[in-house]
Amino acid sequence: MTSTKPPTGLFANVTAYGDVAFSRWMRRAFLLSAGYDDEDLDRPVVGIATTWSDYNTCHRDMPALTEAVRRGVLERGALPFVFPTASLHEILMAPTTMLYRNLLALETEELIRSQPMDAVVLLGGCDKTVPAQVLAATSVDVPALLLVTGPMALGSWHGERLGACTDCRRLWAASRAGRIDPAETAAVGGRLAASGGTCPVMGTASTMACLIEVLGLALPGSATPTSGTGERLRIGVQTGRRAAELAVARQAGQEVPLVRDLLTRAALRNAVTALLALGGSTNAVIHLLAFARRAGAGLSLADFDELARTVPLLVDCKPAGVGYLEDLHRAGGVPALLSTLRPLLDLSVRGVDGSTLGERLAGLGEPGEWQTTLRPLTAPLGPPGALVVLRGSLAPEGAILKQAAASPQLLQHRGPAVVFESPEDAARRIDDPALPVTPDSVLVLRNAGPAAAGMPEAGSLPIPKRLAQAGVTDLVRISDARMSGTGYGTVVLHVAPEAARGGPLALVRDGDLIELDTAGRRLELCVPAEELQRRRAAWTPPPLPPRGWRRLYAEQVLQADQGADLAFLGPSAEPVGEE
Ligand code: FES
């Protein structure tokens, strides 16, 4: 196949045989074998990356959604090419999906870069899939749209609505405390995840779905429709149409917005504002910092700290409230949230639909008083400070506390440390009757940070059984780990530097006094500096994993305050699609 056309569509990115004409002739031969003819092969191409897998129950409705996107692409005159990538399911991967976010990002980036496509739609949903896809899309020169599979339908138990996983954690805690018997505990397990789709509380999946819409990377109104519904499928068709429009424009040589153009500092600060109003997942802090680093947008923990002092909690969803994603959807979803937040947002930022945020919100009013899930700025659900950035001698580079899901009586607390060396150590000893733990204790978990363990969601340590059965429902817990977005409690997370990189967390001993001063944004290890120096002199870092991805990850991963991306995956201006 010879052509004088610029290399777009299926004849871009040809295999390197050292003879471009031969490469194109061969490519045409193989595509003809798949039933495409020359009319097809002239069209611009939209890649559709699917993270469907039997191992990902949250993505079980993705095949139908993929077909909807495919239809939208065809309707606008482009050619859809579906391709699989890895899929990361929170509950079916060990030790944690966070260890594989950057691997999925790298894989997706390279598949977009190495295969011919003029635009790409990235289908995700379960927690780490969406951040991985945003990281990938930020690093390529192909326009991209994100599309989530949508939240699950709700289950019910004895007339009470249930949704994974805040209710899973609440009911498991009740079971551990002996308030639910084993038979009921087993039976309620059949009601917690009622359908395909992502956890229907404001966990990480829902938070990231909302934030990619805020960032303009997904179509307006696309975050909250339930998985598998007609509304979700229609969003899929519309996403396919928009992707095709971008591909057609790109093939015609027109300027099209790239993800890294959309991820400006102003757009990311809008996302932080929305995160705070949503009472969203602490994991979003890490992901937004990683996006900013990839895009060179200059967002830091200081932005979270600044905005957290002024943005109130507006959305009444679990775990910070009582509602579910379908309640937020009924209240108008992300467009209604953004309309409510209008005075606090930069309305000049652009989205992948081509409009500014101000244009997107034109004509939208605030949601009516018939609903209570989305509160107005004049009567918020909670005060500013849903998330708090802490610093101090125990967290020189910062730590995070989700104040909106913490116990008010523990926000100012000083107590003796009970130290666990690793998540495995905690699992082994947490219920040991000899553990010297009281309601005043501060549970410390270390060697669960990015380099040590891939940063599992182990920070929300269970309340030791002895205390739980005595009615204690919360303790101050501190770690270099993460917590599920569906978790709750007075849980200090993301302590940086982590213990395995020599952070002060490595030096804490049982009985040391630790002070949490949430009002003052401080986290202090109350041990004299000379004693800490002695302990540091005796400290040695844990060994690196022996081989493979885990070795590369442990060597290259950055700390939580930098988004836990890999050091060599910084901002890239490498052109994609050139030969
Ligand atoms: Fe997939 Fe919660 S387990 S979103």
Side-chain angles (χ1 to χ4, degrees):
M1 176 86 180
T2 55
S3 171
T4 54
K5 280 176 34 174
T8 57
L10 286 165
F11 296 102
N13 275 359
V14 292
T15 315
Y17 291 123
D19 178 343
V20 171
F22 173 71
S23 298
R24 289 185 178 153
W25 181 72
M26 286 281 281
R27 181 167 288 184
R28 178 173 178 273
F30 278 82
L31 288 165
L32 292 178
S33 83
Y36 297 101
D37 64 15
D38 287 330
E39 186 179 327
D40 290 323
L41 302 186
D42 269 350
R43 295 198 205 185
V45 178
V46 173
I48 304 172
T50 170
T51 46
W52 177 86
S53 160
D54 274 343
Y55 285 102
N56 197 330
T57 60
C58 297
H59 293 188
R60 137 165 107 74
D61 297 324
M62 200 169 274
L65 188 61
T66 306
E67 289 310 304
V69 176
R70 194 198 285 272
R71 178 152 61 83
V73 171
L74 287 167
E75 284 175 9
R76 287 290 190 274
L79 196 61
F81 264 67
V82 177
F83 63 100
T85 68
S87 189
L88 312 176
H89 188 263
E90 287 303 300
I91 314 300
L92 275 95
M93 287 193 89
T96 169
T97 52
M98 188 62 189
L99 185 60
Y100 300 103
R101 181 198 70 177
N102 297 337
L103 185 62
L104 174 57
L106 188 56
E107 180 206 20
T108 306
E109 173 183 338
E110 293 304 330
L111 288 178
I112 296 171
R113 178 170 288 133
S114 60
Q115 300 178 122
M117 60 190 82
D118 301 294
V120 62
V121 176
L122 299 153
L123 294 175
C126 197
D127 295 20
K128 306 307 176 297
T129 54
V130 170
Q133 292 173 328
V134 174
L135 290 172
T138 305
S139 302
V140 297
D141 283 358
V142 174
L145 278 91
L146 278 285
L147 175 61
V148 294
T149 190
M152 293 172 197
L154 298 182
S156 72
W157 184 250
H158 293 163
E160 180 193 10
R161 297 192 300 168
L162 292 182
C165 272
T166 303
D167 294 322
C168 315
R169 293 173 195 285
R170 179 174 59 80
L171 292 166
W172 184 246
S175 177
R176 279 175 57 81
R179 295 195 297 276
I180 299 180
D181 66 33
E184 185 170 356
T185 303
V188 80
R191 305 294 180 92
L192 287 165
S195 73
T198 49
C199 293
V201 297
M202 196 51 72
T204 304
S206 300
T207 302
M208 295 313 301
C210 291
L211 295 189
I212 58 170
E213 189 180 325
V214 173
L215 287 165
L217 308 182
L219 290 186
S222 65
T224 52
T226 301
S227 183
T229 59
E231 189 173 7
R232 171 59 55 194
L233 295 175
R234 292 195 296 278
I235 293 278
V237 176
Q238 291 156 14
T239 300
R241 289 177 188 147
R242 177 60 188 151
E245 288 164 5
L246 289 169
V248 169
R250 186 169 184 258
Q251 194 178 50
Q254 297 169 13
E255 286 277 308
V256 291
L258 300 175
V259 166
R260 66 168 168 273
D261 301 330
L262 303 177
L263 289 182
T264 60
R265 180 174 158 74
L268 286 157
R269 280 176 62 92
N270 282 353
V272 176
T273 300
L275 170 67
L276 294 160
L278 287 164
S281 167
T282 48
N283 287 321
V285 177
I286 299 178
H287 300 319
L288 289 173
L289 289 168
F291 299 171
R293 178 174 172 273
R294 288 272 184 126
L299 188 83
S300 74
L301 275 181
D303 292 284
F304 289 83
D305 189 33
E306 176 204 327
L307 292 167
R309 292 171 194 266
T310 55
V311 181
L313 177 65
L314 298 183
V315 175
D316 190 4
C317 280
K318 293 184 176 190
V322 299
Y324 295 90
L325 255 281
E326 68 175 39
D327 301 318
L328 177 60
H329 183 60
R330 267 196 292 272
V334 171
L337 172 66
L338 291 172
S339 187
T340 305
L341 283 171
R342 205 182 309 224
L344 304 180
L345 298 174
D346 185 326
L347 300 177
S348 68
V349 300
R350 284 194 181 274
V352 74
D353 65 345
S355 62
T356 65
L357 181 56
E359 289 163 352
R360 256 191 280 164
L361 299 181
L364 269 185
E366 294 206 5
E369 287 174 4
W370 56 267
Q371 62 81 40
T372 57
T373 305
L374 178 50
R375 308 292 172 87
L377 279 171
T378 49
L381 181 68
L387 288 178
V388 170
V389 178
L390 302 164
R391 292 182 193 275
S393 57
L394 192 51
E397 302 300 333
I400 295 289
L401 170 69
K402 188 171 185 175
Q403 185 173 212
S407 301
Q409 73 277 13
L410 289 175
L411 292 174
Q412 303 296 127
H413 184 79
R414 190 180 166 100
V418 175
V419 181
F420 298 99
E421 290 296 335
S422 65
E424 296 75 25
D425 181 38
R428 218 170 19 244
R429 294 196 296 125
I430 193 80
D431 290 332
D432 184 341
L435 192 73
V437 66
T438 72
D440 280 339
S441 296
V442 174
L443 303 186
V444 173
L445 170 65
R446 63 183 167 217
N447 296 317
M455 220 179 174
E457 291 183 339
S460 174
L461 288 167
I463 304 302
K465 220 171 212 167
R466 177 160 55 83
L467 295 184
Q469 288 171 346
V472 176
T473 56
D474 198 6
L475 293 174
V476 175
R477 289 158 272 177
I478 299 173
S479 74
D480 45 15
R482 296 176 301 116
M483 172 173 82
S484 165
T486 61
Y488 54 88
T490 311
V491 184
V492 177
L493 302 155
H494 311 177
V495 169
E498 66 174 298
R501 292 270 173 88
L505 202 64
L507 309 180
V508 184
R509 291 187 181 168
D510 280 343
D512 287 349
L513 283 178
I514 291 177
E515 181 166 10
L516 169 62
D517 170 14
T518 306
R521 307 298 197 253
R522 308 291 301 168
L523 185 65
E524 304 291 352
L525 176 58
C526 306
V527 174
E530 314 78 58
E531 170 59 16
L532 289 178
Q533 268 172 11
R534 268 195 296 279
R535 293 183 192 178
R536 182 168 295 288
W539 178 81
T540 52
L544 288 169
R547 63 178 295 282
W549 172 250
R550 295 187 72 159
R551 170 75 175 224
L552 178 66
Y553 190 89
E555 286 175 346
Q556 290 288 330
V557 71
L558 299 168
Q559 292 293 283
D561 62 305
Q562 296 173 285
D565 202 355
L566 300 186
F568 63 82
L569 291 175
S572 166
E574 282 177 28
V576 176
E578 290 203 352
E579 297 167 17

PDB file of all heavy atoms in Angstrom, residues 20-35:
ATOM      1  N   VAL A  20       9.060   1.289   4.712  1.00  0.00           N
ATOM      2  CA  VAL A  20       7.733   1.735   5.133  1.00  0.00           C
ATOM      3  C   VAL A  20       6.655   1.228   4.171  1.00  0.00           C
ATOM      4  O   VAL A  20       5.578   0.784   4.599  1.00  0.00           O
ATOM      5  CB  VAL A  20       7.708   3.279   5.241  1.00  0.00           C
ATOM      6  CG1 VAL A  20       6.289   3.795   5.451  1.00  0.00           C
ATOM      7  CG2 VAL A  20       8.599   3.727   6.394  1.00  0.00           C
ATOM      8  N   ALA A  21       6.942   1.262   2.857  1.00  0.00           N
ATOM      9  CA  ALA A  21       5.937   0.812   1.889  1.00  0.00           C
ATOM     10  C   ALA A  21       5.610  -0.662   2.109  1.00  0.00           C
ATOM     11  O   ALA A  21       4.437  -1.073   2.065  1.00  0.00           O
ATOM     12  CB  ALA A  21       6.451   1.045   0.467  1.00  0.00           C
ATOM     13  N   PHE A  22       6.630  -1.462   2.363  1.00  0.00           N
ATOM     14  CA  PHE A  22       6.416  -2.884   2.636  1.00  0.00           C
ATOM     15  C   PHE A  22       5.588  -3.055   3.912  1.00  0.00           C
ATOM     16  O   PHE A  22       4.651  -3.864   3.968  1.00  0.00           O
ATOM     17  CB  PHE A  22       7.767  -3.592   2.783  1.00  0.00           C
ATOM     18  CG  PHE A  22       7.652  -5.020   3.231  1.00  0.00           C
ATOM     19  CD1 PHE A  22       7.147  -5.996   2.384  1.00  0.00           C
ATOM     20  CD2 PHE A  22       8.035  -5.401   4.522  1.00  0.00           C
ATOM     21  CE1 PHE A  22       7.026  -7.325   2.810  1.00  0.00           C
ATOM     22  CE2 PHE A  22       7.920  -6.712   4.950  1.00  0.00           C
ATOM     23  CZ  PHE A  22       7.418  -7.679   4.090  1.00  0.00           C
ATOM     24  N   SER A  23       5.909  -2.271   4.941  1.00  0.00           N
ATOM     25  CA  SER A  23       5.189  -2.374   6.216  1.00  0.00           C
ATOM     26  C   SER A  23       3.707  -2.084   6.005  1.00  0.00           C
ATOM     27  O   SER A  23       2.837  -2.777   6.550  1.00  0.00           O
ATOM     28  CB  SER A  23       5.766  -1.395   7.234  1.00  0.00           C
ATOM     29  OG  SER A  23       7.114  -1.701   7.500  1.00  0.00           O
ATOM     30  N   ARG A  24       3.402  -1.065   5.189  1.00  0.00           N
ATOM     31  CA  ARG A  24       1.996  -0.710   4.957  1.00  0.00           C
ATOM     32  C   ARG A  24       1.300  -1.764   4.103  1.00  0.00           C
ATOM     33  O   ARG A  24       0.135  -2.107   4.345  1.00  0.00           O
ATOM     34  CB  ARG A  24       1.909   0.668   4.284  1.00  0.00           C
ATOM     35  CG  ARG A  24       2.294   1.775   5.259  1.00  0.00           C
ATOM     36  CD  ARG A  24       2.091   3.149   4.665  1.00  0.00           C
ATOM     37  NE  ARG A  24       2.441   4.131   5.677  1.00  0.00           N
ATOM     38  CZ  ARG A  24       2.881   5.343   5.427  1.00  0.00           C
ATOM     39  NH1 ARG A  24       3.030   5.743   4.173  1.00  0.00           N
ATOM     40  NH2 ARG A  24       3.165   6.160   6.397  1.00  0.00           N
ATOM     41  N   TRP A  25       1.993  -2.270   3.130  1.00  0.00           N
ATOM     42  CA  TRP A  25       1.426  -3.314   2.268  1.00  0.00           C
ATOM     43  C   TRP A  25       1.087  -4.551   3.103  1.00  0.00           C
ATOM     44  O   TRP A  25       0.017  -5.142   2.982  1.00  0.00           O
ATOM     45  CB  TRP A  25       2.462  -3.633   1.190  1.00  0.00           C
ATOM     46  CG  TRP A  25       2.029  -4.661   0.197  1.00  0.00           C
ATOM     47  CD1 TRP A  25       1.110  -4.524  -0.793  1.00  0.00           C
ATOM     48  CD2 TRP A  25       2.526  -6.005   0.108  1.00  0.00           C
ATOM     49  NE1 TRP A  25       0.997  -5.700  -1.506  1.00  0.00           N
ATOM     50  CE2 TRP A  25       1.858  -6.626  -0.965  1.00  0.00           C
ATOM     51  CE3 TRP A  25       3.481  -6.738   0.825  1.00  0.00           C
ATOM     52  CZ2 TRP A  25       2.113  -7.940  -1.341  1.00  0.00           C
ATOM     53  CZ3 TRP A  25       3.733  -8.043   0.456  1.00  0.00           C
ATOM     54  CH2 TRP A  25       3.047  -8.637  -0.616  1.00  0.00           C
ATOM     55  N   MET A  26       1.997  -4.907   4.003  1.00  0.00           N
ATOM     56  CA  MET A  26       1.767  -6.063   4.877  1.00  0.00           C
ATOM     57  C   MET A  26       0.600  -5.807   5.827  1.00  0.00           C
ATOM     58  O   MET A  26      -0.244  -6.673   6.067  1.00  0.00           O
ATOM     59  CB  MET A  26       3.028  -6.329   5.714  1.00  0.00           C
ATOM     60  CG  MET A  26       4.150  -6.954   4.930  1.00  0.00           C
ATOM     61  SD  MET A  26       3.838  -8.724   4.732  1.00  0.00           S
ATOM     62  CE  MET A  26       4.353  -9.285   6.350  1.00  0.00           C
ATOM     63  N   ARG A  27       0.567  -4.591   6.351  1.00  0.00           N
ATOM     64  CA  ARG A  27      -0.506  -4.281   7.306  1.00  0.00           C
ATOM     65  C   ARG A  27      -1.863  -4.394   6.608  1.00  0.00           C
ATOM     66  O   ARG A  27      -2.816  -4.945   7.142  1.00  0.00           O
ATOM     67  CB  ARG A  27      -0.292  -2.891   7.906  1.00  0.00           C
ATOM     68  CG  ARG A  27      -1.353  -2.526   8.916  1.00  0.00           C
ATOM     69  CD  ARG A  27      -0.991  -1.310   9.726  1.00  0.00           C
ATOM     70  NE  ARG A  27       0.082  -1.589  10.682  1.00  0.00           N
ATOM     71  CZ  ARG A  27       0.539  -0.721  11.569  1.00  0.00           C
ATOM     72  NH1 ARG A  27       0.023   0.490  11.611  1.00  0.00           N
ATOM     73  NH2 ARG A  27       1.509  -1.042  12.392  1.00  0.00           N
ATOM     74  N   ARG A  28      -1.936  -3.854   5.379  1.00  0.00           N
ATOM     75  CA  ARG A  28      -3.198  -3.925   4.638  1.00  0.00           C
ATOM     76  C   ARG A  28      -3.602  -5.378   4.417  1.00  0.00           C
ATOM     77  O   ARG A  28      -4.777  -5.754   4.590  1.00  0.00           O
ATOM     78  CB  ARG A  28      -3.062  -3.191   3.306  1.00  0.00           C
ATOM     79  CG  ARG A  28      -4.300  -3.246   2.423  1.00  0.00           C
ATOM     80  CD  ARG A  28      -4.155  -2.365   1.195  1.00  0.00           C
ATOM     81  NE  ARG A  28      -5.311  -2.458   0.317  1.00  0.00           N
ATOM     82  CZ  ARG A  28      -5.453  -3.379  -0.643  1.00  0.00           C
ATOM     83  NH1 ARG A  28      -4.495  -4.278  -0.839  1.00  0.00           N
ATOM     84  NH2 ARG A  28      -6.533  -3.403  -1.392  1.00  0.00           N
ATOM     85  N   ALA A  29      -2.628  -6.213   4.074  1.00  0.00           N
ATOM     86  CA  ALA A  29      -2.932  -7.624   3.821  1.00  0.00           C
ATOM     87  C   ALA A  29      -3.563  -8.279   5.056  1.00  0.00           C
ATOM     88  O   ALA A  29      -4.555  -9.014   4.952  1.00  0.00           O
ATOM     89  CB  ALA A  29      -1.652  -8.367   3.423  1.00  0.00           C
ATOM     90  N   PHE A  30      -3.000  -8.008   6.195  1.00  0.00           N
ATOM     91  CA  PHE A  30      -3.527  -8.648   7.404  1.00  0.00           C
ATOM     92  C   PHE A  30      -4.883  -8.068   7.798  1.00  0.00           C
ATOM     93  O   PHE A  30      -5.752  -8.787   8.299  1.00  0.00           O
ATOM     94  CB  PHE A  30      -2.513  -8.536   8.552  1.00  0.00           C
ATOM     95  CG  PHE A  30      -1.461  -9.599   8.471  1.00  0.00           C
ATOM     96  CD1 PHE A  30      -0.359  -9.463   7.628  1.00  0.00           C
ATOM     97  CD2 PHE A  30      -1.586 -10.774   9.187  1.00  0.00           C
ATOM     98  CE1 PHE A  30       0.598 -10.459   7.531  1.00  0.00           C
ATOM     99  CE2 PHE A  30      -0.637 -11.782   9.084  1.00  0.00           C
ATOM    100  CZ  PHE A  30       0.454 -11.626   8.255  1.00  0.00           C
ATOM    101  N   LEU A  31      -5.087  -6.760   7.567  1.00  0.00           N
ATOM    102  CA  LEU A  31      -6.388  -6.174   7.898  1.00  0.00           C
ATOM    103  C   LEU A  31      -7.464  -6.665   6.936  1.00  0.00           C
ATOM    104  O   LEU A  31      -8.612  -6.888   7.339  1.00  0.00           O
ATOM    105  CB  LEU A  31      -6.289  -4.645   7.884  1.00  0.00           C
ATOM    106  CG  LEU A  31      -5.507  -4.082   9.085  1.00  0.00           C
ATOM    107  CD1 LEU A  31      -5.121  -2.633   8.844  1.00  0.00           C
ATOM    108  CD2 LEU A  31      -6.333  -4.203  10.367  1.00  0.00           C
ATOM    109  N   LEU A  32      -7.106  -6.859   5.660  1.00  0.00           N
ATOM    110  CA  LEU A  32      -8.068  -7.453   4.720  1.00  0.00           C
ATOM    111  C   LEU A  32      -8.490  -8.822   5.215  1.00  0.00           C
ATOM    112  O   LEU A  32      -9.657  -9.227   5.095  1.00  0.00           O
ATOM    113  CB  LEU A  32      -7.454  -7.553   3.324  1.00  0.00           C
ATOM    114  CG  LEU A  32      -7.166  -6.235   2.577  1.00  0.00           C
ATOM    115  CD1 LEU A  32      -6.517  -6.541   1.222  1.00  0.00           C
ATOM    116  CD2 LEU A  32      -8.428  -5.415   2.370  1.00  0.00           C
ATOM    117  N   SER A  33      -7.556  -9.538   5.795  1.00  0.00           N
ATOM    118  CA  SER A  33      -7.859 -10.892   6.292  1.00  0.00           C
ATOM    119  C   SER A  33      -8.879 -10.859   7.422  1.00  0.00           C
ATOM    120  O   SER A  33      -9.526 -11.853   7.729  1.00  0.00           O
ATOM    121  CB  SER A  33      -6.585 -11.590   6.772  1.00  0.00           C
ATOM    122  OG  SER A  33      -6.277 -11.207   8.104  1.00  0.00           O
ATOM    123  N   ALA A  34      -9.006  -9.707   8.079  1.00  0.00           N
ATOM    124  CA  ALA A  34      -9.975  -9.572   9.173  1.00  0.00           C
ATOM    125  C   ALA A  34     -11.296  -8.997   8.675  1.00  0.00           C
ATOM    126  O   ALA A  34     -12.176  -8.679   9.487  1.00  0.00           O
ATOM    127  CB  ALA A  34      -9.391  -8.684  10.268  1.00  0.00           C
ATOM    128  N   GLY A  35     -11.424  -8.830   7.349  1.00  0.00           N
ATOM    129  CA  GLY A  35     -12.700  -8.396   6.802  1.00  0.00           C
ATOM    130  C   GLY A  35     -12.826  -6.908   6.568  1.00  0.00           C
ATOM    131  O   GLY A  35     -13.887  -6.429   6.177  1.00  0.00           O
TER     132      GLY A  35
END
